Amino acid sequence: MTNEELWKAVLGEMELSLTRANFTTWFKNTSVLSKDKNAVIVSVPNGFIKEWLENKFNKKILESIRNQSPEIREIRYTIGRPKIELAKHDFSNVILERELESRSNIEVDKDVDKATNLNKKYTFESFIVGSNNELAHAACLAVTKSLGKLYNPLFLYGGVGLGKTHLLQAMGNKLLIEGNPKSILYISAERFTASILEALVHRTIEDLKSKYSQLDLLMIDDIQFIAGKEKTQDIIFSTFNELYGRNKQIVLSSDRPPQAIPALEERLRSRFEGGMIADIGIPDFETRLAILKQKSNEKNYDFDEETLTYIATHIQNNVRELEGALNRVGAFSQIYNRIPDIKEVKNILNTYLSSPYRKTSPQSILKAVADFYSISGSDLIKRSRKKEVVKPRQIAMFLLREETKLSFPEIGQKLGGRDHSTVIHACEKIKSELSVDEPLKQELVLIRERVYNSFEK
Ligand code: ADP
Ligand code: MG
């Protein structure tokens, strides 16, 4: 048996016992350099991987090697150049994820208009109407034709990933495309709140208020985030009155109806309920299929009916996930330069549907961070500003944001009732450090590893 064959057999075994992401992280670019009577020398790409294989996988790897060559007693790891690549058929999450990431980064930057926060890709034309969103769609369209006069405010609500942002953006884009000399602003409630806080600090709140009150159309997305934010609610209320009084249009979206938003001032609630409320529900199969076809067209994908039907059948509750699945199949065909057959589609979807982000919980993230830095869970939550806890705390915030669907305010809540602006700051700080700080990057790999740990410690 050649060294190459030996290592392939080992990789084959390791692959079976690990998740795809794990396997790729630790075994990519490894090989057997040489073998003598009782030792094998394994080449690894860097010191970080070396340490990890020595400490965590050595026993398993040795077992596996001894299945092939029982005389081997020892493995030595050395940092060197790779001999063999992973098998070509590998479509691990990690690779697809990279491909997808590199695309979404490009999209985010170039397409969003700085003045209005509108992204041209969201239009009424690209929005598929089904019985689940018919009312919301009609209301949005009607409002663009009669700004400020028909329903004011227009309040859209529905679950995550069902098209609220798309509809809001489509309204703004339609007005822009038609060359309306209108002053339009789309803003998420999170950013709205952040801008108010900033203006309060810099004593420019009056400027900000007057800026908002000069708009013809103000759209605030995910308004549920202002729950409990008194100052924000105050300013929304006065802005609202200004705009309303001058027949200017306000559109709001939320993941729930106004009466279900906790800690919402009564006066605001009744304002929100004073216009038109339209909900968006879960799309039926036909609508899901039509959405997939629309997105395929947009992206020039050329998948057959069977593939699209398979996706539409298996992903039911969330259009964003529907699109995510389609993009994964798209990334596959980009990477391998061919259209996957239905078996491969099933594979891709299986990995997607069981991908780790769906399985983690805020608790396991907090625990993993605390364990990793040898501090207690309560240290993360306490008020202390000691260096040993400040950084872990920021990392915890960053990971909660990346790995769960929690909003900034919810993350602040989880970490001892901190303000969401603190959370935003922490996330941005870690993100920017990650691009220059290699050790930090590796720490995060290790912490994520603990979060999604699939092997014994
Ligand atoms: P929400 O704001 O409700 O969480 P989004 O508007 O961000 O959801 O929608 C998530 C994704 O799904 C977006 O890419 C959007 O274009 C797409 N989407 C949702 N509903 C539809 C639809 N009816 N037709 C086409 N695309 C849709
Ligand atoms: Mg949204």
Side-chain angles (χ1 to χ4, degrees):
M1 179 179 260
T2 67
N3 292 341
E4 201 166 312
E5 285 164 352
L6 170 65
W7 195 237
K8 267 202 173 138
V10 172
L11 289 183
E13 277 190 34
M14 298 307 297
E15 194 175 359
L16 289 178
S17 64
L18 294 169
T19 63
R20 279 280 180 189
N22 252 320
F23 174 70
T24 315
T25 306
W26 305 116
F27 290 95
K28 200 172 153 183
N29 295 334
T30 59
S31 63
V32 164
L33 269 191
S34 63
K35 188 174 83 175
D36 61 22
K37 234 169 58 222
N38 5 329
V40 160
I41 299 187
V42 172
S43 162
V44 298
N46 58 48
F48 172 61
I49 304 271
K50 176 169 183 275
E51 218 174 283
W52 196 266
L53 293 188
E54 278 169 350
N55 295 328
K56 298 284 179 187
F57 289 104
N58 190 53
K59 199 163 148 241
K60 266 193 187 166
I61 299 173
L62 187 59
E63 265 172 26
S64 170
I65 287 184
R66 290 170 55 118
N67 286 340
Q68 315 295 329
S69 310
E71 74 283 7
I72 300 297
R73 300 259 163 269
E74 188 194 354
I75 309 173
R76 288 195 293 274
Y77 300 90
T78 162
I79 301 168
R81 308 195 55 212
K83 278 265 171 70
I84 52 166
E85 289 284 323
L86 282 179
K88 285 273 184 297
H89 68 266
D90 176 53
F91 42 77
S92 77
N93 257 340
V94 175
I95 296 174
L96 290 187
E97 220 68 65
R98 289 223 180 98
E99 169 73 23
L100 291 165
E101 202 176 289
S102 67
R103 291 190 202 172
S104 63
N105 286 344
I106 301 168
E107 280 179 16
V108 170
D109 291 336
K110 75 166 196 289
D111 292 339
V112 177
D113 177 71
K114 288 253 165 24
T116 59
N117 295 331
L118 292 175
N119 182 332
K120 286 199 188 70
K121 80 170 180 184
Y122 295 114
T123 60
F124 282 114
E125 288 71 32
S126 65
F127 190 84
I128 302 293
V129 182
S131 53
N132 63 309
N133 56 29
E134 217 173 353
L135 176 65
H137 174 263
C140 289
L141 204 55
V143 161
T144 59
K145 290 181 180 145
S146 178
L147 220 50
K149 298 194 190 97
L150 197 56
Y151 310 122
N152 209 7
L154 172 61
F155 190 105
L156 297 186
Y157 76 91
V160 174
L162 293 179
K164 302 181 295 294
T165 299
H166 189 133
L167 278 177
L168 259 53
Q169 292 260 330
M171 295 175 74
N173 280 323
K174 181 168 162 38
L175 292 168
L176 284 189
I177 292 163
E178 286 168 356
N180 262 305
K182 300 278 185 215
S183 161
I184 298 171
L185 182 69
Y186 163 94
I187 189 164
S188 70
E190 277 180 302
R191 279 187 59 188
F192 187 83
T193 302
S195 73
I196 289 170
L197 292 174
E198 202 187 354
L200 286 172
V201 170
H202 295 108
R203 301 179 188 284
T204 51
I205 194 73
E206 289 309 318
D207 299 348
L208 190 73
K209 273 195 201 167
S210 94
K211 185 184 124 195
Y212 286 136
S213 58
Q214 274 156 33
L215 293 166
D216 296 301
L217 169 60
L218 171 63
M219 299 177 282
I220 309 181
D221 205 355
D222 290 315
I223 194 82
Q224 74 273 6
F225 285 133
I226 64 165
K229 295 265 169 285
E230 275 169 35
K231 199 65 205 174
T232 306
Q233 296 195 12
D234 214 39
I235 289 169
I236 288 185
F237 186 73
S238 60
T239 306
F240 194 105
N241 283 345
E242 277 272 335
L243 292 175
Y244 188 76
R246 295 193 285 124
N247 288 327
K248 305 295 189 179
Q249 182 70 44
I250 297 161
V251 184
L252 307 160
S253 90
S254 166
D255 64 354
R256 63 203 94 173
Q259 74 270 19
I261 303 177
L264 183 65
E265 285 175 36
E266 196 42 48
R267 54 181 187 162
L268 260 188
R269 189 190 322 278
S270 59
R271 290 284 159 168
F272 289 176
E273 287 171 345
M276 159 90 163
I277 300 185
D279 75 322
I280 306 184
I282 290 169
D284 59 18
F285 174 78
E286 270 69 39
T287 310
R288 297 200 295 277
L289 193 60
I291 290 174
L292 285 172
K293 287 182 177 165
Q294 153 69 24
K295 302 284 176 193
S296 296
N297 264 342
E298 240 171 59
K299 291 172 177 153
N300 288 321
Y301 293 152
D302 195 16
F303 305 132
D304 56 21
E305 191 82 13
E306 193 186 5
T307 296
L308 299 184
T309 303
Y310 186 85
I311 301 175
T313 311
H314 286 83
I315 298 185
Q316 301 174 345
N317 299 329
N318 180 326
V319 180
R320 187 174 296 136
E321 284 185 355
L322 207 58
E323 217 181 330
L326 183 71
N327 285 341
R328 247 148 251 255
V329 178
F332 178 99
S333 57
Q334 197 118 4
I335 293 165
Y336 298 101
N337 207 11
R338 65 182 170 80
I339 294 187
D341 60 32
I342 192 71
K343 224 178 108 211
E344 287 167 325
V345 170
K346 286 181 185 172
N347 253 321
I348 297 166
L349 248 64
N350 276 340
T351 345
Y352 177 54
L353 291 175
S354 61
S355 78
Y357 84 92
R358 299 163 151 268
K359 285 189 183 156
T360 185
S361 66
Q363 288 69 29
S364 54
I365 289 176
L366 293 177
K367 183 173 182 326
V369 172
D371 286 354
F372 186 83
Y373 291 106
S374 304
I375 56 178
S376 71
S378 62
D379 282 335
L380 288 176
I381 290 163
K382 276 192 290 205
R383 288 278 136 192
S384 161
R385 285 170 172 272
K386 270 192 254 157
K387 207 175 130 226
E388 307 85 81
V389 300
V390 168
K391 190 179 155 211
R393 195 181 286 138
Q394 290 176 335
I395 288 175
M397 291 174 179
F398 174 79
L399 283 173
L400 284 172
R401 182 66 187 177
E402 294 259 312
E403 308 291 330
T404 72
K405 288 179 175 163
L406 292 183
S407 65
F408 292 127
E410 286 166 334
I411 294 170
Q413 275 307 314
K414 292 251 178 281
L415 285 155
R418 289 184 156 74
D419 196 89
H420 81 285
S421 59
T422 312
V423 181
I424 294 176
H425 172 76
C427 292
E428 277 169 2
K429 182 151 180 280
I430 298 296
K431 204 179 220 164
S432 76
E433 279 176 14
L434 274 178
S435 56
V436 291
D437 186 344
E438 191 61 32
L440 178 64
K441 229 190 231 169
Q442 299 184 349
E443 279 173 30
L444 276 164
V445 174
L446 294 176
I447 297 168
R448 282 201 169 93
E449 205 51 39
R450 284 173 184 242
V451 173
Y452 299 123
N453 201 335
S454 60
F455 53 88
E456 313 260 305
K457 274 193 203 139

